[in-house]
Amino acid sequence: LNPMFPRYFIPSDFPHFPPPKLHRHDKIRLCLKGIDHYRFDSSYRFVTAAVSTLDDPSSISLQIMGGRSKIISPIFKDIDHLVNITRVNEPDFYKFEEEMSQCNGLLPLIHPWDEVVGENYFPSSKAKKLSGFISQAIGLKLPLLVHEDIYEVYKKHWTAKVWTYSSRSRIDVMSFIGSFKEMVLEIRRSAGNN
């Protein structure tokens, strides 16, 4: 189902919705992959670290897309006073995709060092899984921030701007923070044209 195999396809034929209109003073809507288990919170720590370094964290909102949990991870308690955080648990596929299509940027948070789930999405894994978040980004033509190894796997298929980071462990957040800030700045700059 993905470029890690000799023959593959990427399920990216999604309903089409008008792209989100972002004006100069609108909040940038960043969407994160829903993660169901608290031991995956190390990926969310990258986001909390990056948000806390922004000059104006209130200029963004975070939406956690999908996942089975109905609550927002306690990991966000450090930034919930800085930024609006909501969860989207829409069971209807069409409505979920409509909601996803309104994101200004996606944060799949798939990392090669995540031995529980993340490593299954990289070429070194036997599983070589396709992330639904990646196929949605391609199909809905949404910009995203991904680990450089994920970028390489799908580099022929991206349909929107992609920022990358090179973090190599759970505590190596600096590359993510730099790329996150660059993404927010570029999205904000593009809003100045609307």
Side-chain angles (χ1 to χ4, degrees), residues 147-158:
H147 191 274
E148 65 185 4
D149 294 348
I150 287 283
Y151 173 81
E152 284 301 315
V153 170
Y154 296 96
K155 66 183 171 189
K156 296 179 188 171
H157 303 284
W158 300 120

Side-chain angles (χ1 to χ4, degrees), residues 172-183:
D172 180 14
V173 299
M174 295 314 291
S175 174
F176 180 89
I177 289 171
S179 296
F180 180 89
K181 290 171 94 169
E182 180 184 336
M183 177 183 72

Side-chain angles (χ1 to χ4, degrees), residues 35 37-46 73-75:
I35 300 174
H37 199 283
Y38 289 130
R39 61 184 174 181
F40 305 147
D41 279 347
S42 64
S43 292
Y44 284 160
R45 286 187 199 286
F46 276 60
S73 171
I75 203 77

Side-chain angles (χ1 to χ4, degrees), residues 36 106 119 138 165 172:
D36 293 323
L106 300 182
E119 70 180 10
I138 293 168
Y165 57 97
D172 180 14

Side-chain angles (χ1 to χ4, degrees), residues 47-71:
V47 177
T48 60
V51 167
S52 66
T53 67
L54 293 175
D55 292 336
D56 182 14
S58 66
S59 69
I60 66 168
S61 69
L62 298 176
Q63 284 210 281
I64 301 168
M65 305 297 293
R68 292 188 269 305
S69 177
K70 300 280 189 246
I71 61 169

